[in-house]
Amino acid sequence: MKNYEGYDDAQLRTRQTKNTFGDTHQHMMAFMFLCVVIALIGFGLVCMYSASYDEALRIGKNGSYFFLRQFVFAILGLTVFTVLQFIPMRLIKLSIWMALVVSFVLMLLTLITPLGVTRLGSRRWIEIPFLPSFQPSELLKLVTILALAYWFSSDRFKQYRLLYILVPVSVVLFGALLIIAQKDYSTTLLYVGIALAMLIVVGILFRWILLFIIAIGIPAIIFLLIEPYRIKRLTGFLFPDIDPTGINWQVNNSLKAMASGGLWGKGIGKGEYKLGSLPEVQNDFIFANIVEEMGIIGILLVLTLFFLFAFIGFRTYRNLLPSRKFEAYATFGLTCSIIWQALVNIAVVTGIFPPTGITLPFFSQGGTSLLVVIFESAMMYKMMQPAKENVMKRSYDG
Amino acid sequence: MVSRPNHTSDRVFFAITLVFALILCVRIVFILVSATESEKKTYHDPVVSTQVVRGTITDRNGRILAMETPYWSCALLLKSVKDLQSVANLIADPLHMDPEQIIEITKHYSSYALIKRYLSDDERAALSEIIARHNLGSVVIEKRYGRSFPQHYHAAQIIGFTNADNQGIEGLELQYNDILSPYPSLDKQVTYGNDIQLTLDMDIQYLLDGQAVEIDSQHFGDYVIGIIMGAKTGEILAATTFPWYDPNSYQTSSIEQRQNRIVTYMYEPGSVFKVFSLASVLQANQADVSTVFHCDGSFTFHTAGGTPVTINCVSAHGDITPSEMIKFSCNGAIANWALQTEDTLFRSTLEALHFGSTWNIGLRGEIRGLLQPASSWSGRSKPTIAFGQEIGVTALQMASAATAIANKGVLVSPSIIRSVHSHDGKVNPDVVVPRSTTRVLSETTAENILHYMETATEPGGTARLTAIEGVRIASKTGTAQILDEETNSYDSSNFLASTLSIFPVEDPQYIVYIAVVNPKGSTIWGSNIAGPAIAQIIKGLLRQGKLFSDTTEKIML
């Protein structure tokens, strides 16, 4: 006999057994994950210190100015990490809808009120008194993942039939429009990509997914065409010789920086391109500095850490199914969010993707951005914790 | 049914992520391995100049107008000061400063504090002694460079000045700041700026400035504006704006004194403009100028709406030909001929003569002047413009438009920069001094006008006071009313007296234009105020050997 989830009892039993059996395993995974996150934060701080030292001096601050800021936010992030572990999951689930509304409101405030701040030509930051400025789109991304996970994990919503798919699609579409309105095309792409992956993972039928792609894709293409700077970036990426000193200048210098370091790098702190040739290296192009200074060891360290992050994330997703669907879907979404952002950033730095303005999680300078990434990791860590009472309850239900 | 559980699709995403990561790995390894030797080369800080020596500005004969002069200054190296109070006490006395004052100055600096500029020799000697006696390693006496302007007020508004940090603040010093004082270059300890040679000739400038003072002492004008231009080259040989200032002590000058009114002052030129409006009328060839115009002291015409408009002359001139129109400056005649010419055609020649547009030759603050489009002219605009009201010009525009008359119809663009040389004396090819020549009048028109202007210097002509025996001079005088901006009407006591001269007529070499704003002396007439000044300038040019005449020797005696 098949239950409503499409598993027969035998399957369900094996999976549950696996789960109970895997409790130690899951503990192990969670511990490894914690180690990976701390390693990423620590290594990120080291790289940020090296990359930002000269820039800090240039703006007339102490050399460790950016590092200290980032350090404070890392400590704050780890505090949030710890506190989050004591908050009941029920409370988190309850506050998701509220959080979604808040992030939409923050997005709108950024767009249409003076609280929004324009930096480097884009209105993406919000400055609320007594709080550090941050990009609400990062919050929106996180909350949307949790909301989608919650919606698809709850059986309650399945009875709505058509609305079951239309509601999440509308939320994603609205969110994407708000991010696009901030001229943040790359984050929009990432946002939509994560949503799409989640739709596929929760098993939405292909024809609905196709509808989703069309609903998102057509406006996206129109937005691509009406903003001339995006076309410029694209042509500059495709034909770098046209404009060697223009928009591709930073990518070219990033490639030169990596090449100049050679296989073994120049040594931590001894990078030369950060001294002006690669402006703002501590932001989007920090990976170029890591490669220049640490060569293949730096690459291996970064990629291994992110690989472990992804591996544990996807593995946890499998382990949590089918009994803890909310946790599973959320873990999946958060893993995709961080890993894909990292990969897209590295692709930009290595000249595979056109320049986008996406940062490298854990590494790029930016306090609130680091805070959000640590919060996301904390969420994942929380989901990894075995929750026995839930499993038990489930088996009785079944 | 919109969903079907499919809990294996995460593997697909993990696989996609892995493949993506692998592609990136391959790409990075490719970047590292394919790096050329030049890319692997380690980077060394280049030598960057620690000193930039600002270039010199000279006139066309190499006479220095602005140059760098060294001076001694005293500075404190704060990082090696152990006891600031005692050091301040020690050096206060030789520097003639208060110790508190020195400490106050150091508060603005973190490591290097400039305490005093321009030390006198006594101060320097006393300070050196103190430093030697107390072994003060933290006090340094340094040679610095400052700007000097040896010509003082001559052409001051054109040259401008620099601030204490030797950055151009006004005039050519500001306009060509990057050329005079370029960015410190690589591989050199000292970077030398470019030297700029101007078209000015200081000998001629002295003549003009002398006359400006003379005019001011007799006629008490608000401003005296004068310009002398090479008739064939368009080069500005001299330009003056009185009152002036000394750029060596610009701090004590007023904005009024610092304005370069050659290009920043817009005014209605008055009768001098008839030269150009007649050129426009002749060029259009629509007016019947062969029929004599009878002037009975006033001329009345009707606008398209039928309103009668009357234009007055100074006196009844009788029968007027174009030549006599210039000679006697008859308002009625030129108004009549302008009315017979199409609006756009009449305006197009004036526009071609560069009225209503800037020359952009490097003189800062240049204004366009005012030449309204023909579509917004009222019924009385055209005849009014014809005798030089209802049009705004600058002195530079007037003088350079005259090059078209002096050059058989070819307009030459004015210039102030003669050449730019790098420190080693080579012409700097990076700095292009734009010059242009455009034919705007026919040869006959230009020659005719020049000869009409010559008749004005004959006995009975308005410009007879510019005449010098033995030199053929073409002149046109003008006395314009100045619009009172507050009341928006013409004030009967506020005039602009001006004269334009081109000489020698047989082969024009010089264009002189002098305008006096609001003279308050015994006379207001351009012919009486600017005319004699021009005659004196011509005498001066003869004396300097820059102009020859049949009677040069006699004049020199």
Side-chain angles (χ1 to χ4, degrees), chain A residues 5 7 164 197 201 203 205 208 255 258-260 272 299 303 307 314 317-318 332 339-340 343 350 352, chain B residues 1-7 9-11 13-14 17-18 20-21 24-25 27-28 31-32 35 39-40 43:
Chain A
E5 280 185 304
Y7 293 96
Y164 180 63
V201 156
L205 289 183
W208 292 107
L255 294 181
M258 288 190 277
S260 74
E272 286 147 2
I299 303 167
L303 289 184
F307 170 80
F314 285 120
Y317 162 77
R318 294 204 72 93
F332 176 82
I339 289 303
W340 290 354
L343 291 180
T350 53
I352 293 179
Chain B
M1 176 90 173
V2 290
S3 71
R4 180 186 298 144
N6 175 12
H7 291 138
S9 50
D10 67 301
R11 288 199 170 146
F13 287 107
F14 188 55
T17 310
L18 264 188
F20 191 11
L24 289 182
C25 282
R27 169 71 181 163
I28 298 165
I31 292 172
L32 294 192
E39 280 172 336
K40 285 180 188 163
Y43 170 93

Short mmCIF file of all heavy atoms in Angstrom, two decimals, chain A residues 5 7 164 197 201 203 205 208 255 258-260 272 299 303 307 314 317-318 332 339-340 343 350 352, chain B residues 1-7 9-11 13-14 17-18 20-21 24-25 27-28 31-32 35 39-40 43:
data_model
loop_
_atom_site.label_atom_id
_atom_site.label_comp_id
_atom_site.label_asym_id
_atom_site.label_seq_id
_atom_site.Cartn_x
_atom_site.Cartn_y
_atom_site.Cartn_z
N GLU A 5 2.46 9.99 0.04
CA GLU A 5 3.70 10.54 -0.49
C GLU A 5 4.31 9.68 -1.58
O GLU A 5 5.32 10.05 -2.17
CB GLU A 5 4.73 10.67 0.64
CG GLU A 5 4.49 11.89 1.48
CD GLU A 5 5.58 12.03 2.48
OE1 GLU A 5 5.80 11.10 3.25
OE2 GLU A 5 6.22 13.08 2.47
N TYR A 7 5.41 6.63 -1.13
CA TYR A 7 6.28 5.57 -0.62
C TYR A 7 5.40 4.44 -0.12
O TYR A 7 4.36 4.68 0.49
CB TYR A 7 7.11 6.06 0.56
CG TYR A 7 8.13 7.10 0.18
CD1 TYR A 7 7.86 8.45 0.33
CD2 TYR A 7 9.36 6.70 -0.33
CE1 TYR A 7 8.78 9.38 -0.03
CE2 TYR A 7 10.29 7.64 -0.69
CZ TYR A 7 10.01 8.98 -0.53
OH TYR A 7 10.93 9.89 -0.89
N TYR A 164 -1.87 25.80 -5.17
CA TYR A 164 -0.70 25.19 -4.58
C TYR A 164 0.56 25.57 -5.36
O TYR A 164 1.63 25.76 -4.79
CB TYR A 164 -0.88 23.67 -4.57
CG TYR A 164 0.26 22.89 -3.99
CD1 TYR A 164 0.61 23.05 -2.66
CD2 TYR A 164 0.98 21.98 -4.76
CE1 TYR A 164 1.66 22.33 -2.11
CE2 TYR A 164 2.03 21.26 -4.23
CZ TYR A 164 2.36 21.44 -2.90
OH TYR A 164 3.40 20.72 -2.36
N ALA A 197 14.95 25.34 -8.85
CA ALA A 197 15.51 24.07 -8.34
C ALA A 197 14.60 23.50 -7.26
O ALA A 197 14.34 22.29 -7.23
CB ALA A 197 16.90 24.32 -7.79
N VAL A 201 12.70 19.93 -7.17
CA VAL A 201 12.98 18.99 -6.10
C VAL A 201 11.70 18.55 -5.38
O VAL A 201 11.54 17.39 -5.04
CB VAL A 201 14.01 19.59 -5.13
CG1 VAL A 201 13.91 18.95 -3.77
CG2 VAL A 201 15.40 19.39 -5.69
N GLY A 203 8.98 18.21 -6.64
CA GLY A 203 8.22 17.34 -7.51
C GLY A 203 7.08 17.99 -8.23
O GLY A 203 6.10 17.33 -8.57
N LEU A 205 5.08 19.20 -11.32
CA LEU A 205 5.07 18.62 -12.67
C LEU A 205 5.75 19.53 -13.68
O LEU A 205 5.72 20.75 -13.56
CB LEU A 205 3.63 18.33 -13.10
CG LEU A 205 2.97 17.17 -12.37
CD1 LEU A 205 1.58 16.94 -12.92
CD2 LEU A 205 3.80 15.90 -12.48
N TRP A 208 4.10 22.66 -15.27
CA TRP A 208 3.99 23.84 -14.40
C TRP A 208 5.32 24.57 -14.31
O TRP A 208 5.39 25.80 -14.25
CB TRP A 208 3.50 23.43 -13.01
CG TRP A 208 2.09 22.94 -13.05
CD1 TRP A 208 1.66 21.66 -12.92
CD2 TRP A 208 0.94 23.74 -13.29
NE1 TRP A 208 0.30 21.57 -13.06
CE2 TRP A 208 -0.17 22.86 -13.28
CE3 TRP A 208 0.70 25.09 -13.51
CZ2 TRP A 208 -1.47 23.29 -13.49
CZ3 TRP A 208 -0.58 25.52 -13.70
CH2 TRP A 208 -1.65 24.63 -13.70
N LEU A 255 42.36 38.13 -14.29
CA LEU A 255 43.04 36.99 -14.92
C LEU A 255 44.55 37.16 -14.82
O LEU A 255 45.28 36.21 -14.50
CB LEU A 255 42.63 36.88 -16.40
CG LEU A 255 41.17 36.53 -16.66
CD1 LEU A 255 40.90 36.42 -18.14
CD2 LEU A 255 40.82 35.22 -15.98
N MET A 258 45.79 36.37 -11.32
CA MET A 258 45.89 34.94 -11.03
C MET A 258 47.09 34.35 -11.74
O MET A 258 47.84 33.56 -11.16
CB MET A 258 44.60 34.25 -11.47
CG MET A 258 43.44 34.59 -10.56
SD MET A 258 42.01 33.58 -10.86
CE MET A 258 41.29 34.44 -12.21
N ALA A 259 47.28 34.76 -13.01
CA ALA A 259 48.39 34.21 -13.78
C ALA A 259 49.73 34.61 -13.17
O ALA A 259 50.66 33.81 -13.12
CB ALA A 259 48.31 34.69 -15.22
N SER A 260 49.80 35.85 -12.66
CA SER A 260 51.08 36.34 -12.14
C SER A 260 51.52 35.58 -10.91
O SER A 260 52.71 35.50 -10.61
CB SER A 260 50.99 37.84 -11.83
OG SER A 260 50.25 38.02 -10.65
N GLU A 272 50.19 41.67 -5.51
CA GLU A 272 50.53 43.00 -6.00
C GLU A 272 49.36 43.67 -6.71
O GLU A 272 49.28 44.89 -6.78
CB GLU A 272 51.71 42.89 -6.97
CG GLU A 272 53.01 42.62 -6.23
CD GLU A 272 53.97 41.75 -7.02
OE1 GLU A 272 53.64 41.38 -8.16
OE2 GLU A 272 55.04 41.43 -6.47
N ILE A 299 43.30 27.73 -4.07
CA ILE A 299 42.16 27.23 -4.85
C ILE A 299 41.59 25.98 -4.21
O ILE A 299 40.39 25.85 -4.00
CB ILE A 299 42.61 26.91 -6.29
CG1 ILE A 299 43.24 28.13 -6.94
CG2 ILE A 299 41.45 26.38 -7.10
CD1 ILE A 299 43.97 27.80 -8.21
N LEU A 303 37.86 25.65 -2.78
CA LEU A 303 36.94 24.74 -3.46
C LEU A 303 36.58 23.54 -2.58
O LEU A 303 35.44 23.10 -2.56
CB LEU A 303 37.53 24.29 -4.80
CG LEU A 303 37.56 25.39 -5.86
CD1 LEU A 303 38.07 24.85 -7.19
CD2 LEU A 303 36.17 26.00 -6.08
N PHE A 307 33.03 22.53 -1.49
CA PHE A 307 32.54 21.19 -1.87
C PHE A 307 31.96 20.49 -0.66
O PHE A 307 30.87 19.93 -0.72
CB PHE A 307 33.69 20.37 -2.48
CG PHE A 307 33.32 18.93 -2.68
CD1 PHE A 307 32.55 18.56 -3.78
CD2 PHE A 307 33.68 17.96 -1.75
CE1 PHE A 307 32.18 17.24 -3.96
CE2 PHE A 307 33.30 16.65 -1.93
CZ PHE A 307 32.56 16.28 -3.03
N PHE A 314 23.57 18.70 0.57
CA PHE A 314 22.73 17.81 -0.25
C PHE A 314 22.49 16.48 0.47
O PHE A 314 21.42 15.89 0.38
CB PHE A 314 23.39 17.56 -1.61
CG PHE A 314 23.28 18.74 -2.53
CD1 PHE A 314 24.40 19.38 -3.03
CD2 PHE A 314 22.03 19.24 -2.91
CE1 PHE A 314 24.30 20.46 -3.88
CE2 PHE A 314 21.92 20.32 -3.75
CZ PHE A 314 23.06 20.94 -4.24
N TYR A 317 19.86 16.82 3.05
CA TYR A 317 18.56 16.85 2.40
C TYR A 317 18.03 15.43 2.25
O TYR A 317 16.88 15.14 2.58
CB TYR A 317 18.70 17.53 1.03
CG TYR A 317 17.57 17.26 0.08
CD1 TYR A 317 16.35 17.93 0.23
CD2 TYR A 317 17.70 16.34 -0.94
CE1 TYR A 317 15.30 17.68 -0.62
CE2 TYR A 317 16.66 16.08 -1.80
CZ TYR A 317 15.46 16.75 -1.65
OH TYR A 317 14.43 16.51 -2.49
N ARG A 318 18.88 14.54 1.76
CA ARG A 318 18.46 13.14 1.56
C ARG A 318 18.12 12.49 2.89
O ARG A 318 17.14 11.77 3.02
CB ARG A 318 19.59 12.35 0.90
CG ARG A 318 19.90 12.80 -0.50
CD ARG A 318 20.54 11.66 -1.26
NE ARG A 318 19.53 10.67 -1.54
CZ ARG A 318 18.84 10.64 -2.66
NH1 ARG A 318 19.07 11.51 -3.60
NH2 ARG A 318 17.92 9.74 -2.86
N PHE A 332 18.10 22.18 1.28
CA PHE A 332 18.42 22.13 -0.14
C PHE A 332 18.52 23.55 -0.72
O PHE A 332 19.50 23.90 -1.39
CB PHE A 332 17.35 21.32 -0.88
CG PHE A 332 17.57 21.30 -2.37
CD1 PHE A 332 18.47 20.41 -2.94
CD2 PHE A 332 16.88 22.18 -3.20
CE1 PHE A 332 18.69 20.40 -4.31
CE2 PHE A 332 17.09 22.18 -4.56
CZ PHE A 332 17.99 21.28 -5.11
N ILE A 339 26.15 27.86 -2.45
CA ILE A 339 27.11 27.22 -3.35
C ILE A 339 27.07 27.86 -4.73
O ILE A 339 28.09 28.17 -5.34
CB ILE A 339 26.81 25.70 -3.43
CG1 ILE A 339 27.19 25.06 -2.13
CG2 ILE A 339 27.55 25.07 -4.59
CD1 ILE A 339 28.63 25.27 -1.73
N TRP A 340 25.87 28.08 -5.24
CA TRP A 340 25.77 28.63 -6.59
C TRP A 340 26.31 30.06 -6.62
O TRP A 340 26.93 30.48 -7.58
CB TRP A 340 24.34 28.58 -7.10
CG TRP A 340 23.93 27.15 -7.38
CD1 TRP A 340 24.72 26.05 -7.31
CD2 TRP A 340 22.63 26.70 -7.76
NE1 TRP A 340 24.01 24.93 -7.62
CE2 TRP A 340 22.72 25.29 -7.90
CE3 TRP A 340 21.42 27.32 -7.98
CZ2 TRP A 340 21.63 24.51 -8.27
CZ3 TRP A 340 20.33 26.55 -8.36
CH2 TRP A 340 20.43 25.16 -8.49
N LEU A 343 29.97 29.69 -6.82
CA LEU A 343 30.43 29.23 -8.14
C LEU A 343 30.29 30.34 -9.18
O LEU A 343 31.18 30.55 -10.00
CB LEU A 343 29.65 27.98 -8.56
CG LEU A 343 29.96 26.73 -7.74
CD1 LEU A 343 29.15 25.54 -8.24
CD2 LEU A 343 31.45 26.39 -7.80
N THR A 350 37.10 34.21 -13.03
CA THR A 350 37.93 33.50 -13.99
C THR A 350 37.51 33.78 -15.42
O THR A 350 38.01 33.17 -16.35
CB THR A 350 37.88 31.98 -13.75
OG1 THR A 350 36.51 31.58 -13.71
CG2 THR A 350 38.55 31.61 -12.45
N ILE A 352 34.61 33.31 -17.01
CA ILE A 352 33.69 32.41 -17.72
C ILE A 352 32.32 33.08 -17.85
O ILE A 352 31.64 32.94 -18.85
CB ILE A 352 33.56 31.07 -16.98
CG1 ILE A 352 34.90 30.33 -17.05
CG2 ILE A 352 32.47 30.22 -17.58
CD1 ILE A 352 34.91 29.01 -16.34
N MET B 1 -3.76 17.61 -9.87
CA MET B 1 -2.46 17.08 -9.44
C MET B 1 -1.37 17.93 -10.05
O MET B 1 -1.20 17.96 -11.27
CB MET B 1 -2.35 15.63 -9.95
CG MET B 1 -1.02 14.98 -9.65
SD MET B 1 -1.05 14.17 -8.07
CE MET B 1 0.53 13.36 -8.08
N VAL B 2 -0.71 18.71 -9.21
CA VAL B 2 0.34 19.55 -9.75
C VAL B 2 1.72 19.05 -9.35
O VAL B 2 2.71 19.54 -9.84
CB VAL B 2 0.18 21.01 -9.31
CG1 VAL B 2 -1.02 21.63 -9.98
CG2 VAL B 2 0.10 21.11 -7.82
N SER B 3 1.77 18.09 -8.44
CA SER B 3 3.10 17.64 -8.04
C SER B 3 3.14 16.14 -7.96
O SER B 3 2.12 15.47 -7.78
CB SER B 3 3.47 18.26 -6.69
OG SER B 3 2.68 17.66 -5.68
N ARG B 4 4.33 15.64 -8.14
CA ARG B 4 4.55 14.21 -7.98
C ARG B 4 5.84 14.06 -7.21
O ARG B 4 6.85 14.64 -7.60
CB ARG B 4 4.66 13.56 -9.36
CG ARG B 4 4.88 12.06 -9.30
CD ARG B 4 5.12 11.51 -10.67
NE ARG B 4 3.96 11.73 -11.55
CZ ARG B 4 4.07 12.00 -12.84
NH1 ARG B 4 5.26 12.15 -13.39
NH2 ARG B 4 2.99 12.16 -13.58
N PRO B 5 5.80 13.34 -6.10
CA PRO B 5 7.03 13.25 -5.30
C PRO B 5 8.16 12.64 -6.12
O PRO B 5 7.97 11.65 -6.80
CB PRO B 5 6.63 12.32 -4.14
CG PRO B 5 5.16 12.40 -4.09
CD PRO B 5 4.69 12.63 -5.49
N ASN B 6 9.26 13.30 -6.10
CA ASN B 6 10.41 12.84 -6.85
C ASN B 6 11.63 13.22 -6.05
O ASN B 6 12.22 14.26 -6.24
CB ASN B 6 10.41 13.51 -8.23
CG ASN B 6 11.64 13.14 -9.01
OD1 ASN B 6 12.37 12.23 -8.63
ND2 ASN B 6 11.89 13.87 -10.08
N HIS B 7 11.97 12.35 -5.14
CA HIS B 7 12.99 12.74 -4.19
C HIS B 7 14.38 12.34 -4.60
O HIS B 7 15.26 12.19 -3.78
CB HIS B 7 12.65 12.17 -2.80
CG HIS B 7 11.45 12.86 -2.23
ND1 HIS B 7 10.45 12.18 -1.57
CD2 HIS B 7 11.07 14.15 -2.25
CE1 HIS B 7 9.51 13.04 -1.20
NE2 HIS B 7 9.87 14.23 -1.61
N SER B 9 15.70 13.97 -7.46
CA SER B 9 16.19 15.02 -8.34
C SER B 9 17.31 15.85 -7.71
O SER B 9 18.03 16.54 -8.40
CB SER B 9 15.04 15.92 -8.77
OG SER B 9 14.33 16.32 -7.63
N ASP B 10 17.44 15.76 -6.38
CA ASP B 10 18.54 16.51 -5.76
C ASP B 10 19.88 16.02 -6.27
O ASP B 10 20.84 16.77 -6.32
CB ASP B 10 18.48 16.36 -4.24
CG ASP B 10 18.78 14.95 -3.81
OD1 ASP B 10 18.03 14.05 -4.26
OD2 ASP B 10 19.76 14.73 -3.08
N ARG B 11 19.94 14.74 -6.64
CA ARG B 11 21.19 14.18 -7.17
C ARG B 11 21.59 14.92 -8.44
O ARG B 11 22.77 15.17 -8.69
CB ARG B 11 21.04 12.70 -7.47
CG ARG B 11 20.97 11.90 -6.20
CD ARG B 11 21.27 10.45 -6.46
NE ARG B 11 21.43 9.78 -5.19
CZ ARG B 11 21.06 8.52 -4.98
NH1 ARG B 11 20.52 7.82 -5.97
NH2 ARG B 11 21.24 7.98 -3.81
N PHE B 13 20.94 17.97 -9.14
CA PHE B 13 21.50 19.29 -8.81
C PHE B 13 22.90 19.17 -8.24
O PHE B 13 23.77 19.99 -8.53
CB PHE B 13 20.58 20.03 -7.84
CG PHE B 13 19.34 20.51 -8.50
CD1 PHE B 13 18.12 19.91 -8.27
CD2 PHE B 13 19.42 21.56 -9.42
CE1 PHE B 13 16.99 20.36 -8.91
CE2 PHE B 13 18.28 22.01 -10.05
CZ PHE B 13 17.06 21.40 -9.80
N PHE B 14 23.10 18.15 -7.44
CA PHE B 14 24.44 17.95 -6.90
C PHE B 14 25.42 17.69 -8.04
O PHE B 14 26.52 18.25 -8.08
CB PHE B 14 24.44 16.78 -5.90
CG PHE B 14 25.73 16.63 -5.16
CD1 PHE B 14 26.26 17.71 -4.45
CD2 PHE B 14 26.44 15.44 -5.19
CE1 PHE B 14 27.46 17.58 -3.76
CE2 PHE B 14 27.65 15.31 -4.50
CZ PHE B 14 28.15 16.38 -3.79
N THR B 17 26.10 20.88 -9.91
CA THR B 17 27.01 21.71 -9.12
C THR B 17 28.44 21.20 -9.24
O THR B 17 29.38 21.97 -9.44
CB THR B 17 26.57 21.68 -7.64
OG1 THR B 17 25.18 21.98 -7.59
CG2 THR B 17 27.34 22.68 -6.83
N LEU B 18 28.58 19.89 -9.17
CA LEU B 18 29.92 19.30 -9.27
C LEU B 18 30.55 19.57 -10.62
O LEU B 18 31.72 19.97 -10.71
CB LEU B 18 29.83 17.79 -9.05
CG LEU B 18 30.12 17.30 -7.64
CD1 LEU B 18 30.18 15.78 -7.62
CD2 LEU B 18 31.45 17.87 -7.14
N PHE B 20 29.88 21.94 -12.69
CA PHE B 20 30.18 23.37 -12.75
C PHE B 20 31.50 23.65 -12.04
O PHE B 20 32.40 24.31 -12.56
CB PHE B 20 29.03 24.12 -12.08
CG PHE B 20 29.04 25.61 -12.28
CD1 PHE B 20 29.90 26.21 -13.21
CD2 PHE B 20 28.18 26.42 -11.55
CE1 PHE B 20 29.90 27.58 -13.38
CE2 PHE B 20 28.18 27.79 -11.72
CZ PHE B 20 29.05 28.37 -12.64
N ALA B 21 31.64 23.07 -10.85
CA ALA B 21 32.86 23.27 -10.07
C ALA B 21 34.07 22.72 -10.81
O ALA B 21 35.14 23.32 -10.82
CB ALA B 21 32.72 22.61 -8.70
N LEU B 24 35.18 25.00 -13.50
CA LEU B 24 35.92 26.13 -12.92
C LEU B 24 37.35 25.72 -12.59
O LEU B 24 38.29 26.46 -12.85
CB LEU B 24 35.22 26.62 -11.66
CG LEU B 24 33.90 27.36 -11.87
CD1 LEU B 24 33.34 27.84 -10.55
CD2 LEU B 24 34.11 28.55 -12.80
N CYS B 25 37.51 24.50 -12.05
CA CYS B 25 38.86 24.02 -11.71
C CYS B 25 39.72 23.98 -12.96
O CYS B 25 40.86 24.47 -12.96
CB CYS B 25 38.78 22.62 -11.11
SG CYS B 25 38.26 22.64 -9.43
N ARG B 27 39.35 25.57 -15.67
CA ARG B 27 39.58 26.93 -16.13
C ARG B 27 40.72 27.60 -15.34
O ARG B 27 41.60 28.23 -15.91
CB ARG B 27 38.27 27.74 -15.98
CG ARG B 27 38.38 29.23 -16.16
CD ARG B 27 38.65 29.60 -17.59
NE ARG B 27 38.77 31.06 -17.72
CZ ARG B 27 39.30 31.67 -18.76
NH1 ARG B 27 39.78 30.96 -19.76
NH2 ARG B 27 39.37 32.98 -18.82
N ILE B 28 40.69 27.44 -14.03
CA ILE B 28 41.71 28.09 -13.21
C ILE B 28 43.08 27.50 -13.51
O ILE B 28 44.06 28.22 -13.67
CB ILE B 28 41.38 27.94 -11.70
CG1 ILE B 28 40.06 28.62 -11.39
CG2 ILE B 28 42.48 28.54 -10.85
CD1 ILE B 28 39.49 28.24 -10.06
N ILE B 31 44.32 28.91 -16.62
CA ILE B 31 44.84 30.28 -16.45
C ILE B 31 46.25 30.24 -15.87
O ILE B 31 47.15 30.93 -16.34
CB ILE B 31 43.91 31.09 -15.52
CG1 ILE B 31 42.57 31.34 -16.18
CG2 ILE B 31 44.54 32.43 -15.15
CD1 ILE B 31 41.55 31.95 -15.26
N LEU B 32 46.44 29.40 -14.87
CA LEU B 32 47.74 29.37 -14.19
C LEU B 32 48.82 28.81 -15.10
O LEU B 32 49.94 29.31 -15.15
CB LEU B 32 47.65 28.53 -12.91
CG LEU B 32 46.75 29.08 -11.82
CD1 LEU B 32 46.98 28.32 -10.53
CD2 LEU B 32 46.99 30.56 -11.59
N ALA B 35 49.91 30.97 -18.30
CA ALA B 35 50.46 32.31 -18.07
C ALA B 35 51.80 32.46 -18.77
O ALA B 35 52.65 31.58 -18.70
CB ALA B 35 50.63 32.53 -16.57
N GLU B 39 53.72 37.73 -17.81
CA GLU B 39 52.67 37.83 -16.80
C GLU B 39 53.17 37.37 -15.43
O GLU B 39 52.68 37.81 -14.40
CB GLU B 39 51.45 36.99 -17.22
CG GLU B 39 50.59 37.70 -18.25
CD GLU B 39 49.51 36.80 -18.80
OE1 GLU B 39 49.67 35.56 -18.77
OE2 GLU B 39 48.51 37.33 -19.26
N LYS B 40 54.15 36.44 -15.47
CA LYS B 40 54.65 35.92 -14.19
C LYS B 40 55.65 36.87 -13.55
O LYS B 40 56.00 36.71 -12.39
CB LYS B 40 55.31 34.56 -14.42
CG LYS B 40 54.30 33.44 -14.64
CD LYS B 40 55.01 32.14 -14.86
CE LYS B 40 54.03 31.06 -15.27
NZ LYS B 40 54.73 29.91 -15.87
N TYR B 43 56.44 42.32 -9.83
CA TYR B 43 56.12 43.72 -10.00
C TYR B 43 57.04 44.56 -9.12
O TYR B 43 57.31 44.20 -7.98
CB TYR B 43 54.66 43.88 -9.59
CG TYR B 43 54.15 45.27 -9.47
CD1 TYR B 43 53.53 45.89 -10.55
CD2 TYR B 43 54.26 45.96 -8.27
CE1 TYR B 43 53.03 47.17 -10.43
CE2 TYR B 43 53.77 47.23 -8.15
CZ TYR B 43 53.15 47.82 -9.22
OH TYR B 43 52.65 49.07 -9.09
#
